[in-house]
Amino acid sequence: MIVAIDGPAAAGKGTLARRLAKHLGFDFLDTGSLYRGVGLQVLRQGGDPADPVAAKAAAETLDLALLADPDLRGEAAAKAASLVAAQPAVRAALLDFQRDFARKPPGNRGAVLDGRDVGTVVCPDAGVKLFVTASLEARARRRLAELQAAGRTAIWSAVLQDMQDRDARDSKRDVAPLKPAADAVVIDTTSLSPDQVFEAARAIVDAKR
Ligand code: C5P
Protein backbone atom coordinates (compact mmCIF):
# COMPACT_ATOMS: atom_id res chain seq x y z
CA MET A 1 0.00 0.00 0.00
CA ILE A 2 1.17 3.52 -0.82
CA VAL A 3 0.10 6.57 1.17
CA ALA A 4 0.71 9.85 -0.70
CA ILE A 5 0.72 13.04 1.36
CA ASP A 6 1.05 16.36 -0.44
CA GLY A 7 0.67 19.97 0.58
CA PRO A 8 2.40 23.32 0.98
CA ALA A 9 5.34 24.00 3.33
CA ALA A 10 4.77 23.81 7.10
CA ALA A 11 1.21 22.48 6.81
CA GLY A 12 2.10 19.54 9.07
CA LYS A 13 2.50 16.86 6.40
CA GLY A 14 5.99 15.79 7.50
CA THR A 15 4.94 15.24 11.10
CA LEU A 16 1.85 13.37 9.96
CA ALA A 17 3.72 11.25 7.40
CA ARG A 18 6.36 10.12 9.92
CA ARG A 19 3.74 9.26 12.51
CA LEU A 20 1.54 7.42 10.05
CA ALA A 21 4.51 5.42 8.71
CA LYS A 22 5.50 4.41 12.24
CA HIS A 23 1.94 3.46 13.13
CA LEU A 24 1.47 1.37 9.98
CA GLY A 25 4.99 -0.16 10.02
CA PHE A 26 5.61 1.39 6.58
CA ASP A 27 8.76 3.03 5.22
CA PHE A 28 8.79 6.80 4.89
CA LEU A 29 10.29 9.03 2.18
CA ASP A 30 10.44 12.81 2.53
CA THR A 31 10.60 13.67 -1.19
CA GLY A 32 11.28 17.34 -0.39
CA SER A 33 14.65 16.34 1.07
CA LEU A 34 15.72 15.19 -2.41
CA TYR A 35 14.94 18.62 -3.91
CA ARG A 36 16.61 20.31 -0.93
CA GLY A 37 19.66 18.07 -1.46
CA VAL A 38 19.89 19.08 -5.12
CA GLY A 39 19.49 22.77 -4.19
CA LEU A 40 22.14 22.52 -1.48
CA GLN A 41 24.55 20.69 -3.79
CA VAL A 42 24.28 23.52 -6.36
CA LEU A 43 24.84 26.15 -3.64
CA ARG A 44 27.87 24.27 -2.24
CA GLN A 45 29.37 24.10 -5.73
CA GLY A 46 28.98 27.87 -6.00
CA GLY A 47 26.29 27.58 -8.68
CA ASP A 48 22.90 29.23 -9.18
CA PRO A 49 19.91 26.93 -8.41
CA ALA A 50 17.93 28.69 -11.17
CA ASP A 51 20.56 27.64 -13.75
CA PRO A 52 19.15 24.56 -15.56
CA VAL A 53 22.60 23.15 -16.43
CA ALA A 54 23.88 23.30 -12.84
CA ALA A 55 20.58 22.01 -11.40
CA LYS A 56 20.34 19.05 -13.81
CA ALA A 57 23.97 18.06 -13.16
CA ALA A 58 23.38 18.14 -9.38
CA ALA A 59 20.19 16.06 -9.67
CA GLU A 60 22.00 13.44 -11.73
CA THR A 61 24.94 13.19 -9.30
CA LEU A 62 23.12 13.88 -6.01
CA ASP A 63 25.38 13.13 -3.04
CA LEU A 64 23.03 11.32 -0.64
CA ALA A 65 25.25 12.34 2.30
CA LEU A 66 23.79 15.85 1.86
CA LEU A 67 20.40 14.52 3.02
CA ALA A 68 21.84 14.33 6.55
CA ASP A 69 23.45 17.79 6.39
CA PRO A 70 22.14 20.26 9.06
CA ASP A 71 21.89 22.99 6.39
CA LEU A 72 19.30 20.90 4.52
CA ARG A 73 16.56 22.26 6.79
CA GLY A 74 17.60 25.92 6.47
CA GLU A 75 15.76 28.58 4.48
CA ALA A 76 18.55 28.86 1.88
CA ALA A 77 18.16 25.16 1.02
CA ALA A 78 14.35 25.55 0.95
CA LYS A 79 14.54 28.40 -1.52
CA ALA A 80 17.15 26.62 -3.66
CA ALA A 81 14.93 23.49 -3.59
CA SER A 82 11.93 25.34 -4.98
CA LEU A 83 14.08 26.86 -7.74
CA VAL A 84 15.56 23.52 -8.87
CA ALA A 85 12.16 21.82 -8.44
CA ALA A 86 10.60 24.00 -11.15
CA GLN A 87 12.95 22.47 -13.75
CA PRO A 88 11.67 19.44 -15.69
CA ALA A 89 15.13 17.80 -16.00
CA VAL A 90 15.56 17.86 -12.22
CA ARG A 91 12.12 16.33 -11.61
CA ALA A 92 12.78 13.65 -14.25
CA ALA A 93 16.12 12.74 -12.65
CA LEU A 94 14.49 12.21 -9.23
CA LEU A 95 11.36 10.39 -10.40
CA ASP A 96 12.63 6.79 -10.66
CA PHE A 97 14.17 6.87 -7.18
CA GLN A 98 10.84 7.96 -5.66
CA ARG A 99 8.78 5.43 -7.65
CA ASP A 100 11.15 2.57 -6.83
CA PHE A 101 10.95 3.45 -3.14
CA ALA A 102 7.14 3.52 -3.26
CA ARG A 103 6.79 0.23 -5.13
CA LYS A 104 9.58 -1.69 -3.38
CA PRO A 105 9.96 -0.12 0.07
CA PRO A 106 12.90 -1.52 2.08
CA GLY A 107 10.62 -3.16 4.68
CA ASN A 108 8.31 -4.61 2.01
CA ARG A 109 5.11 -3.63 3.83
CA GLY A 110 4.15 -0.29 2.42
CA ALA A 111 5.34 3.27 1.90
CA VAL A 112 4.36 6.75 3.00
CA LEU A 113 5.73 9.54 0.77
CA ASP A 114 5.27 13.23 1.39
CA GLY A 115 5.86 16.09 -1.02
CA ARG A 116 4.09 18.26 -3.58
CA ASP A 117 3.31 15.87 -6.45
CA VAL A 118 3.24 12.39 -4.91
CA GLY A 119 -0.48 11.85 -5.51
CA THR A 120 -0.55 13.58 -8.89
CA VAL A 121 2.70 12.49 -10.60
CA VAL A 122 4.95 10.16 -8.59
CA CYS A 123 2.28 7.69 -7.44
CA PRO A 124 -1.02 8.44 -9.22
CA ASP A 125 -2.12 4.93 -8.24
CA ALA A 126 -1.53 5.41 -4.48
CA GLY A 127 -4.18 3.69 -2.32
CA VAL A 128 -4.55 6.73 -0.06
CA LYS A 129 -4.03 10.35 -1.09
CA LEU A 130 -4.08 13.14 1.44
CA PHE A 131 -3.64 16.86 0.77
CA VAL A 132 -2.58 18.53 4.01
CA THR A 133 -2.90 22.29 4.06
CA ALA A 134 -3.30 25.29 6.40
CA SER A 135 -3.61 29.06 6.13
CA LEU A 136 -0.51 31.02 5.10
CA GLU A 137 -0.36 32.75 8.51
CA ALA A 138 -0.63 29.49 10.46
CA ARG A 139 2.13 27.91 8.38
CA ALA A 140 4.42 30.95 8.70
CA ARG A 141 3.82 30.98 12.48
CA ARG A 142 4.84 27.32 12.72
CA ARG A 143 7.92 27.86 10.56
CA LEU A 144 8.95 30.87 12.70
CA ALA A 145 8.61 28.77 15.88
CA GLU A 146 10.64 25.94 14.30
CA LEU A 147 13.44 28.30 13.26
CA GLN A 148 13.52 29.93 16.69
CA ALA A 149 13.55 26.54 18.43
CA ALA A 150 16.53 25.57 16.26
CA GLY A 151 18.34 28.71 17.49
CA ARG A 152 18.20 30.44 14.09
CA THR A 153 17.53 34.16 13.68
CA ALA A 154 14.07 34.60 12.20
CA ILE A 155 11.98 37.68 11.41
CA TRP A 156 8.20 37.30 11.03
CA SER A 157 7.85 39.45 7.91
CA ALA A 158 10.72 37.63 6.18
CA VAL A 159 9.37 34.18 7.05
CA LEU A 160 5.90 35.17 5.80
CA GLN A 161 7.32 36.58 2.55
CA ASP A 162 9.54 33.52 1.94
CA MET A 163 6.58 31.20 2.49
CA GLN A 164 4.41 33.25 0.11
CA ASP A 165 7.14 33.25 -2.57
CA ARG A 166 7.70 29.50 -2.25
CA ASP A 167 3.91 28.81 -2.40
CA ALA A 168 3.71 30.87 -5.59
CA ARG A 169 6.71 29.13 -7.21
CA ASP A 170 5.43 25.66 -6.27
CA SER A 171 1.83 26.29 -7.38
CA LYS A 172 2.46 28.23 -10.56
CA ARG A 173 5.26 26.19 -12.14
CA ASP A 174 4.49 24.42 -15.42
CA VAL A 175 5.74 21.00 -14.35
CA ALA A 176 4.07 19.05 -11.50
CA PRO A 177 2.58 22.13 -9.78
CA LEU A 178 1.39 21.84 -6.19
CA LYS A 179 -2.30 20.90 -6.28
CA PRO A 180 -4.51 18.25 -4.71
CA ALA A 181 -5.06 15.11 -6.81
CA ALA A 182 -8.69 14.83 -7.93
CA ASP A 183 -9.13 11.86 -5.57
CA ALA A 184 -7.21 13.30 -2.58
CA VAL A 185 -8.85 13.94 0.78
CA VAL A 186 -8.05 17.49 1.95
CA ILE A 187 -7.15 18.00 5.63
CA ASP A 188 -6.97 21.65 6.73
CA THR A 189 -4.74 21.71 9.82
CA THR A 190 -5.10 25.45 10.59
CA SER A 191 -6.97 24.84 13.83
CA LEU A 192 -6.12 21.19 14.45
CA SER A 193 -3.52 19.77 16.85
CA PRO A 194 -1.00 17.21 15.53
CA ASP A 195 -2.98 14.50 17.37
CA GLN A 196 -6.23 15.56 15.68
CA VAL A 197 -4.53 15.54 12.27
CA PHE A 198 -3.15 12.06 12.93
CA GLU A 199 -6.55 10.71 14.02
CA ALA A 200 -8.26 12.16 10.93
CA ALA A 201 -5.64 10.59 8.66
CA ARG A 202 -5.70 7.28 10.47
CA ALA A 203 -9.47 7.03 9.99
CA ILE A 204 -9.06 7.67 6.25
CA VAL A 205 -6.30 5.03 5.93
CA ASP A 206 -8.27 2.48 8.00
CA ALA A 207 -11.30 2.95 5.76
CA LYS A 208 -9.17 2.12 2.70
CA ARG A 209 -7.37 -0.93 4.09
O1 C5P B 1 8.74 19.79 1.64
P1 C5P B 1 9.92 20.73 1.61
O2 C5P B 1 9.62 22.08 2.15
O3 C5P B 1 11.15 20.12 2.20
O4 C5P B 1 10.23 20.90 0.04
C1 C5P B 1 11.18 21.83 -0.43
C2 C5P B 1 10.82 22.22 -1.86
O5 C5P B 1 11.02 21.10 -2.72
C3 C5P B 1 9.38 22.64 -2.08
O6 C5P B 1 9.14 24.00 -1.84
C4 C5P B 1 9.14 22.27 -3.55
O7 C5P B 1 9.57 23.31 -4.38
C5 C5P B 1 10.06 21.10 -3.76
N1 C5P B 1 9.35 19.82 -3.80
C6 C5P B 1 8.72 19.46 -4.98
N2 C5P B 1 8.11 18.25 -5.09
C7 C5P B 1 8.09 17.39 -4.07
C8 C5P B 1 8.70 17.75 -2.83
C9 C5P B 1 9.30 18.99 -2.73
O8 C5P B 1 8.69 20.23 -5.93
N3 C5P B 1 7.51 16.19 -4.22
Side-chain angles (χ1 to χ4, degrees):
M1 184 185 206
I2 299 171
V3 180
I5 306 182
D6 292 305
K13 63 187 187 307
T15 306
L16 170 65
R18 278 187 184 79
R19 200 163 158 189
L20 216 46
K22 194 166 174 213
H23 169 75
L24 296 166
F26 287 8
D27 293 296
F28 166 61
L29 180 64
D30 165 9
T31 66
S33 69
L34 303 175
Y35 292 93
R36 284 173 181 259
V38 174
L40 193 56
Q41 188 160 313
V42 175
L43 293 177
R44 291 272 167 90
Q45 290 168 342
D48 175 1
D51 169 15
V53 176
K56 179 172 184 265
E60 288 172 350
T61 59
L62 177 61
D63 173 8
L64 292 177
L66 279 176
L67 304 189
D69 193 293
D71 287 345
L72 197 75
R73 295 285 128 210
E75 289 303 281
K79 180 173 180 195
S82 77
L83 290 168
V84 299
Q87 302 174 36
V90 169
R91 306 201 72 85
L94 298 178
L95 195 56
D96 284 348
F97 178 84
Q98 297 172 78
R99 284 193 175 149
D100 287 348
F101 183 95
R103 287 178 192 155
K104 292 183 248 79
N108 261 323
R109 293 190 58 182
V112 179
L113 285 83
D114 85 347
R116 302 291 186 288
D117 64 337
V118 181
T120 50
V121 175
V122 180
C123 302
D125 53 350
V128 176
K129 295 183 190 178
L130 304 175
F131 191 85
V132 176
T133 188
S135 72
L136 173 68
E137 285 71 22
R139 293 185 292 113
R141 237 184 350 260
R142 290 175 196 164
R143 181 48 50 85
L144 185 75
E146 266 170 31
L147 292 169
Q148 287 170 340
R152 293 176 189 263
T153 315
I155 300 163
W156 165 251
S157 57
V159 171
L160 189 70
Q161 187 65 53
D162 284 354
M163 185 84 63
Q164 216 161 7
D165 292 347
R166 195 139 70 94
D167 281 356
R169 262 199 303 277
D170 289 350
S171 311
K172 292 186 185 144
R173 67 187 177 211
D174 293 334
V175 54
L178 169 68
K179 63 168 185 219
D183 50 351
V185 180
V186 178
I187 302 179
D188 186 329
T189 70
T190 305
S191 51
L192 298 181
S193 69
D195 282 350
Q196 288 173 317
V197 175
F198 173 69
E199 289 309 331
R202 186 165 74 157
I204 295 162
V205 173
D206 284 349
K208 295 265 185 181
R209 287 179 102 191

